Amino acid sequence: MARVEIANAGVDPGGPAAPGGGAGRTAPVGAVPVLRRAAAALTGDTWPGFLVRRTGRLSASLGVVVTASFAMIHLIPGDPVRAALGIAADPAQVAARRHDLGLDRPLPAQYGSFLANLFHGRLGDSIVSQMPVSQIISDRLPATLQLVIPAVLLILLAGIPIGMLAAVLTRDGRRRRGELAFAATTGILAALPEFLLAVGLVAVFAVWWQLFPVAGQSDLSSYVLPVLSLTVVPAASLSRVVRVEALRVLREDYMRTARAKRLPARLVYLRHALPNLLTSSLTIGGLLFTSLLAGTVLVENVFAWPGLGSTIVQAITTKDYPLVQGVVLVYGAAALLITFAVDVAVAAIDPRSTVRGT
Amino acid sequence: MAATTVRGVVSAEPPESFARRLRQSLRTPIGAAALAAALLLAALAVAGPVVFGDQASKIDTSAMNQGVSGAHLLGTDSLGRDIAARVIVATRLTLRLGLSATAIGLVGGLLLGLAPSVLGRRAGRAVTGVVGVLVAFPGLLFVLFLATIFGIGSTGAVLAIGLALVPTLARLIQNLATSVAGSDYVATARILGVGRFRIVVRHVLPNIVEPVVLFAAQAATGSLIAFAGLSFLGLGVQSPDYDWGRLLNEGLSRIYVNPASALAPGVAVVLAGLVFALLGEAVAQTGGRRTAARAVPAARTPVAMNADGGLAQTPADVDGDALAQLTHLRVSFPGGRTAVRDVSLSVAAGEAVGLVGESGSGKSLTALALAHLVPYPGHVQGVVRFDGHDLLADPRSGRRLGAELAMVFQDPMTSLNPALRVGRQLAEVSEVHLGQSRKAALARAVDRLAAVGIPDPERRARQRPHEYSGGMRQRAFIGMGLMAEPRLIIADEPTTALDVTVQKQVLELLGRVRADSGAALLLISHDLGVVAEVCDRVLVMYAGRVVEELPVSRLFQGAAHPYTRALIGAIPTMTTDLDRELATIPGRPPEPGEEISGCAFATRCAFARDRCRGELPVLAPAAGGAGHRVACWYPRAGDGGTVTDDTDTDDTDTGITRAESEAVA
């Protein structure tokens, strides 16, 4: 109980136990109790403590991403510049390029200037096109976001209602056949690789029925198939998760209470069930969103979409390492930020969230 | 699944039985299908290149880029090679690469996953931390990163995909190893001085084989798809070699000419992935079989409403004065379980009726039937009337119950919605049923909270239930019933989950609420003391039937049914001899599915005779007087164990002790 009370204190300042309230009043005000209280706030099960710890973990992970993208160019066996320019390249040209990239300097100095440049938003120049990497990324990022944002919205708007509806219709063993059909359909859809689905969609909707363009970014109709390819698989997974969570919630005593109050079905499900299944569904949703980032790489290549995903593949193929470095950095940071945002959102929605203990 | 697997793991069993169970589950439909599909896939991989190799590599300039035809089932590619043959031939390379990557991932995952168990605490924590960071990255990005380092081509792709599998597998194996390492027998081994390495090899590893096989099957599916993706992107297998991903890449550029050339390799990837998934499923079944064999069939607690009607009603049974009335109520569940058999009861306006019986006697379901809340798939037959309306015939009339019928449930800790503020949960009742505005409803909620004795109700209304104590939640719950104008309160074990001092306060509150509102009360309890304190009339239920109905004043002196007497005798009082064992009723109540021809209590009754075992006693007026009915062929009379006829009166060794009733009342 005490644990719970302390947990509230962070969320609801008017709660029975204000943070450190009791201890503060009796202990003499001095440096030691203040520090102890601060330490307790950071390590304990409190809202600021959670934020501090979670931000610390985010920074550490971002550090790993930055270091890994820096290290990548040094981990490549052989000389990356020679590999990029080809065996026939003029040695003087190779040396000059090495110098341009700073590869002839000592490793710690390279790391230092890498971090300094990163701080100023400079990611070096592309070996192939000589353009600044940051420029290429800011040119290509919007096209990727134009796929990701509608996809995320559609996943939520389809996955949650479908999952809840399935749960309501099949609760307590009703409609066994319907349950089987739902499990089979969503199971197959959720197991499909996005890019294979994309190829299938192209064959059916673009080649046979010719409803949408096969590839490329043009008018609105060109968005339909790529967004759909990114949406279907995660939406199917999410609806499965939501259904299981909703079935759990529907068995809870408080749902019987809601029925005993003879509330309209709309209130029973939307007001009483939905908030209780949202947090756990969101936690899993976070994983779906990070894997969506990876999905864009393949889907963009199926549709020749001029986004970051096709950029990184071209860069790897042409051994344009500074560009690979930059895009890896953007993708890695995006994945970490999504996970962070979902964790914070879950902790904010649900004051009893277990996420906070971790 | 994970949880059951882990549980299965902790209860250590020799690993030999895994192989046996695996053989068993391969005989099930899924297992057999998995085995057959895996064998077919293996046959294609082995024989495919031998049989179709020539056809797949034969360049035919006269048949370039052809569509589907009789000669070329899936058409031809840009060099006139047969695509169907190429898809079949590619099976071998695809599987070899995918399985190699899986092997790398599995070895790496086992090494990193078991490292924390072998290394010291600090090093172990470092490994766990690194794995934790790596797991956060989407697999494909990791693969691309590694593919850049290892270079484009089959070897680089195998390394990249294999290493990218490591963090996820390591995390799963870590979790398994930790759960096994926490078990008693590992602790014992550690105390006995067995080294860490030996513990891992001897105790941990054999116990996690089963889930690890499952993970490996999933990883194989994953790496197959990842490989297809990488080759499709042009970063995996390079020409002139080809796997399914490469064929997909080539096919996509010709999708206008011949969609089949793009679809066929894609379908091949999906089907092969399905085979691995099936194998994993078969292995998971093996684990499931073990736990399933052990698990006690869990009693489901469904909570849905059942709207379908029952038998034709018998108007003769309608009691005009009753506020709520059940007539010939029968609640049954599929599979022949009948929880309530032919129960009739009525509650008059303002009356307090107690319904007692042990767990499983059907008292709660009777109450739920009265409230029209019997959980699915329960089937309700009989007549349920509230204020003259037949609830089963007209389910819409149930709506008025929201305002006029208040329920109080057993466990206040779980009966309030944890996500909503308490004030909101109260307010919605009068919003929905009395049409009050949000603001007015909230004001009423604060007023009701004050009425049930919640201090500082304004602030408390804004809090969520987890900020309330158990007693306060039950008060708030009662307050919720008072939001409208309740005419009947059904309280199902309202004090069972509370501690003794709080129980008394809640009972007092119920009494006060009743006095203030004039509502009738149906109190369900297994505690005769509580019922005697609050109620006017008592119904005793046993095995789904009412066995006795009597005024509370006669409960302790005039109970006529041996079961009622036994219940009374089982109440410990201040005068109970603490050195003697507490009185219990020997035997057990019948299962809900059991069909009993006579009296259900006969097997536990000391006074039972042949007639009791053969003929069902019906509820009939007892000798005691008005309002006293009993369902017993040989009802007891007087203040004790004397019988109305001349049978054996010696009940000292029956386990049914005499009522020590005065002290209770």
Side-chain angles (χ1 to χ4, degrees):
Chain A
M1 198 61 225
R3 220 179 112 82
V4 177
E5 296 278 80
I6 291 167
N8 313 328
V11 185
D12 180 6
R25 246 173 277 124
T26 50
V29 181
V32 176
V34 167
L35 280 179
R36 192 177 300 149
R37 224 183 307 157
L42 295 189
T43 53
D45 197 5
T46 64
W47 182 234
F50 163 75
L51 273 185
V52 168
R53 272 177 287 128
R54 196 61 193 78
T55 313
R57 205 161 79 197
L58 174 70
S59 324
S61 305
L62 281 175
V64 171
V65 172
V66 168
T67 311
S69 69
F70 166 77
M72 187 181 78
I73 206 160
H74 299 278
L75 288 172
I76 296 163
D79 183 348
V81 176
R82 167 128 349 241
L85 295 181
I87 305 168
D90 177 12
Q93 192 195 352
V94 172
R97 182 59 55 79
R98 284 184 67 83
H99 182 74
D100 289 345
L101 292 170
L103 291 173
D104 51 353
R105 296 194 298 147
L107 211 55
Q110 286 186 44
Y111 190 46
S113 54
F114 178 77
L115 291 183
N117 281 332
L118 188 62
F119 187 73
H120 292 103
R122 288 196 297 265
L123 294 163
D125 295 335
S126 155
I127 294 180
V128 174
S129 67
Q130 314 296 327
M131 272 177 38
V133 168
S134 50
Q135 172 80 48
I136 299 176
I137 288 175
S138 59
D139 285 350
R140 298 293 198 110
L141 186 60
T144 298
L145 289 180
Q146 283 162 6
L147 293 186
V148 169
I149 292 170
V152 166
L153 291 178
L154 275 178
I155 291 166
L156 293 175
L157 287 178
I160 294 176
I162 291 175
M164 273 199 73
L165 190 67
V168 169
L169 293 178
T170 64
R171 64 188 195 274
D172 307 318
R174 288 172 167 84
R175 298 184 181 81
R176 278 282 150 79
R177 268 156 211 265
E179 185 183 355
L180 262 176
F182 175 84
T185 314
T186 54
I188 290 169
L189 287 179
L192 277 180
E194 274 111 341
F195 67 106
L196 294 181
L197 176 73
V199 173
L201 289 176
V202 167
V204 174
F205 292 102
V207 177
W208 287 338
W209 291 346
Q210 311 210 336
L211 292 174
F212 304 104
V214 168
Q217 183 186 23
S218 53
D219 60 347
L220 208 59
S221 67
S222 69
Y223 284 73
V224 174
L225 291 183
V227 169
L228 213 57
S229 308
L230 286 173
T231 307
V232 171
V233 176
S237 301
L238 185 64
S239 70
R240 288 170 73 86
V241 172
V242 167
R243 177 177 164 268
V244 171
E245 283 301 311
L247 285 177
R248 178 186 62 76
V249 167
L250 291 177
R251 279 194 299 265
E252 296 281 351
D253 285 353
Y254 54 79
M255 293 308 295
R256 180 183 58 185
T257 305
R259 289 197 194 87
K261 286 198 262 185
R262 325 283 156 177
L263 300 176
R266 172 177 54 86
L267 286 187
V268 170
Y269 295 123
L270 295 186
R271 186 186 287 167
H272 285 262
L274 188 60
N276 285 296
L277 60 88
L278 219 46
T279 49
S280 44
S281 304
L282 252 183
T283 312
I284 293 148
L287 292 175
L288 291 176
F289 296 148
T290 53
S291 74
L292 185 71
L293 284 179
T296 59
V297 175
L298 283 157
V299 168
E300 282 184 15
N301 276 281
V302 172
F303 291 97
W305 196 261
L308 276 188
S310 45
T311 306
I312 190 173
V313 173
Q314 278 161 18
I316 295 173
T317 321
T318 56
K319 301 197 164 75
D320 191 347
Y321 297 117
L323 187 52
V324 177
Q325 228 173 19
V327 181
V328 162
L329 209 57
V330 171
Y331 269 118
L336 291 174
L337 286 173
I338 289 174
T339 317
F340 176 76
V342 168
D343 279 5
V344 171
V346 167
I349 294 174
D350 184 1
R352 301 154 301 130
S353 165
T354 48
V355 181
R356 268 206 267 159
T358 56
Chain B
M1 194 61 237
T4 52
T5 318
V6 170
R7 195 161 8 105
V9 165
V10 174
S11 53
E13 261 187 36
E16 290 82 37
S17 65
F18 170 53
R20 191 168 45 80
R21 273 180 287 119
L22 190 61
R23 278 199 299 279
Q24 275 178 3
S25 69
L26 287 179
R27 285 194 208 107
T28 64
I30 285 184
L35 192 65
L39 288 177
L40 182 68
L41 200 61
L44 274 182
V46 173
V50 179
V51 178
F52 297 99
D54 291 342
Q55 205 184 338
S57 55
K58 197 180 83 193
I59 296 174
D60 181 0
T61 44
S62 64
M64 293 189 298
N65 285 329
Q66 284 190 347
V68 175
S69 69
H72 300 286
L73 221 52
L74 296 172
T76 59
D77 69 1
S78 55
L79 293 174
R81 295 174 293 202
D82 184 70
I83 288 173
R86 285 172 77 76
V87 170
I88 291 174
V89 171
T91 312
R92 184 189 284 184
L93 184 64
T94 308
L95 287 186
R96 204 188 72 211
L97 297 175
L99 292 178
S100 311
T102 311
I104 293 176
L106 201 57
V107 170
L110 278 170
L111 287 177
L112 272 189
L114 294 175
S117 314
V118 179
L119 301 172
R121 175 165 302 203
R122 195 164 292 180
R125 200 172 287 171
V127 171
T128 316
V130 170
V131 169
V133 170
L134 291 180
V135 162
F137 295 103
L140 188 76
L141 290 183
F142 205 27
V143 170
L144 289 180
F145 175 78
L146 292 169
T148 314
I149 294 174
F150 295 126
I152 296 168
S154 308
T155 321
V158 167
L159 284 172
I161 291 172
L163 290 179
L165 284 173
V166 169
T168 322
L169 285 170
R171 167 56 70 84
L172 292 168
I173 291 168
Q174 262 176 20
N175 291 347
L176 287 174
T178 317
S179 73
V180 174
S183 60
D184 290 345
Y185 60 90
V186 172
T188 315
R190 204 172 286 134
I191 292 165
L192 292 174
V194 180
R196 287 201 198 108
F197 189 71
R198 260 179 86 88
I199 287 184
V200 166
V201 174
R202 278 286 189 76
H203 297 279
V204 177
L205 215 45
N207 277 302
I208 64 173
V209 167
E210 204 167 307
V212 167
V213 171
L214 175 62
F215 296 154
Q218 288 166 348
T221 311
S223 75
L224 207 65
I225 288 166
F227 227 107
L230 219 51
S231 288
F232 166 73
L233 293 176
L235 306 176
V237 172
Q238 300 295 307
S239 194
D241 292 335
Y242 53 94
D243 67 347
W244 288 332
R246 176 103 216 143
L247 291 176
L248 184 67
N249 183 329
E250 291 166 6
L252 187 62
S253 58
R254 289 194 311 275
I255 195 162
Y256 259 124
V257 186
N258 180 11
S261 66
L263 291 176
V267 170
V269 173
V270 172
L271 288 181
L274 196 65
V275 172
F276 286 113
L278 272 177
L279 278 176
E281 194 69 28
V283 175
Q285 263 192 352
T286 321
R289 172 163 303 126
R290 176 155 76 177
T291 37
R294 276 197 198 155
V296 184
R300 272 193 312 149
T301 46
V303 280
M305 203 189 296
N306 180 31
D308 57 6
L311 289 168
Q313 53 172 291
T314 44
D317 287 319
V318 174
D319 173 359
D321 290 341
L323 173 65
Q325 194 183 23
L326 293 171
T327 316
H328 301 306
L329 177 76
R330 183 180 173 89
V331 181
S332 53
F333 289 88
R337 288 196 306 121
T338 304
V340 178
R341 305 154 188 262
D342 194 18
V343 164
S344 298
L345 78 83
S346 69
V347 181
E351 192 188 17
V353 176
L355 194 56
V356 296
E358 56 198 295
S359 332
S361 60
K363 57 190 192 305
S364 284
L365 273 172
T366 304
L368 287 176
L370 188 53
H372 203 244
L373 283 174
V374 168
Y376 182 89
H379 185 61
V380 181
Q381 290 160 292
V383 182
V384 181
R385 285 181 168 272
F386 184 81
D387 197 22
H389 292 268
D390 187 335
L391 296 186
L392 293 184
D394 178 17
R396 288 174 63 83
S397 66
R399 278 299 292 274
R400 64 178 300 170
L401 295 181
E404 299 186 354
L405 177 91
M407 297 283 298
V408 181
F409 293 112
Q410 176 171 347
D411 191 352
M413 309 307 266
T414 57
S415 294
L416 287 169
N417 193 321
L420 301 178
R421 294 175 201 284
V422 174
R424 193 88 269 285
Q425 297 190 49
L426 267 70
E428 67 182 359
V429 176
S430 53
E431 261 176 70
V432 168
H433 296 296
L434 306 182
Q436 280 188 325
S437 72
R438 211 180 161 94
K439 206 175 154 193
L442 209 59
R444 181 167 172 84
V446 171
D447 175 66
R448 295 292 87 184
L449 285 176
V452 293
I454 294 208
D456 199 0
E458 295 249 8
R459 184 172 66 85
R460 287 295 187 175
R462 287 194 302 271
Q463 291 183 335
R464 292 198 172 79
H466 70 269
E467 297 168 67
Y468 279 47
S469 70
M472 266 175 40
R473 285 188 217 188
Q474 200 62 304
R475 284 171 181 277
F477 208 99
I478 293 170
M480 192 154 77
L482 301 178
M483 284 301 290
E485 309 290 324
R487 298 177 62 195
L488 173 64
I489 301 171
I490 297 181
D492 187 357
E493 307 257 8
T495 58
T496 308
L498 304 173
D499 63 58
V500 182
T501 48
V502 181
Q503 279 187 15
K504 195 157 174 57
Q505 293 170 10
V506 168
L507 283 180
E508 279 167 10
L509 175 64
L510 271 178
R512 209 175 69 227
V513 161
R514 230 162 58 73
D516 292 348
S517 64
L521 174 72
L522 180 64
L523 179 70
I524 291 98
S525 182
H526 61 262
D527 187 338
L528 281 173
V530 166
V531 169
E533 206 170 316
V534 177
C535 298
D536 310 321
R537 195 153 56 86
V538 185
L539 281 88
V540 181
M541 282 188 73
Y542 186 79
R545 294 182 194 276
V546 173
V547 293
E548 186 160 16
E549 177 180 357
L550 71 175
V552 117
S553 57
R554 289 184 54 84
L555 180 60
F556 292 111
Q557 281 85 22
H561 199 285
Y563 176 65
T564 312
R565 294 194 163 219
L567 279 183
I568 293 165
I571 305 174
T573 66
M574 297 301 281
T575 56
T576 305
D577 183 356
L578 293 177
D579 293 329
R580 280 177 54 187
E581 242 179 88
L582 284 175
T584 54
I585 306 172
R588 55 160 191 85
E591 298 292 328
E594 264 175 64
E595 276 311 320
I596 302 142
S597 48
C599 171
F601 190 59
T603 54
R604 305 170 76 185
C605 182
F607 314 104
R609 299 195 218 159
D610 287 347
R611 187 183 185 193
C612 299
R613 285 179 275 269
E615 211 179 322
L616 180 71
V618 289
L619 210 55
H628 190 174
R629 296 194 297 164
V630 65
C632 182
W633 294 124
Y634 307 105
R636 326 295 291 159
D639 178 18
T642 41
V643 215
T644 45
D645 52 12
D646 54 356
T647 47
D648 174 22
T649 55
D650 179 17
D651 65 354
T652 48
D653 57 356
T654 59
I656 300 180
T657 51
R658 288 182 34 165
E660 290 162 307
S661 47
E662 294 79 5
V664 177

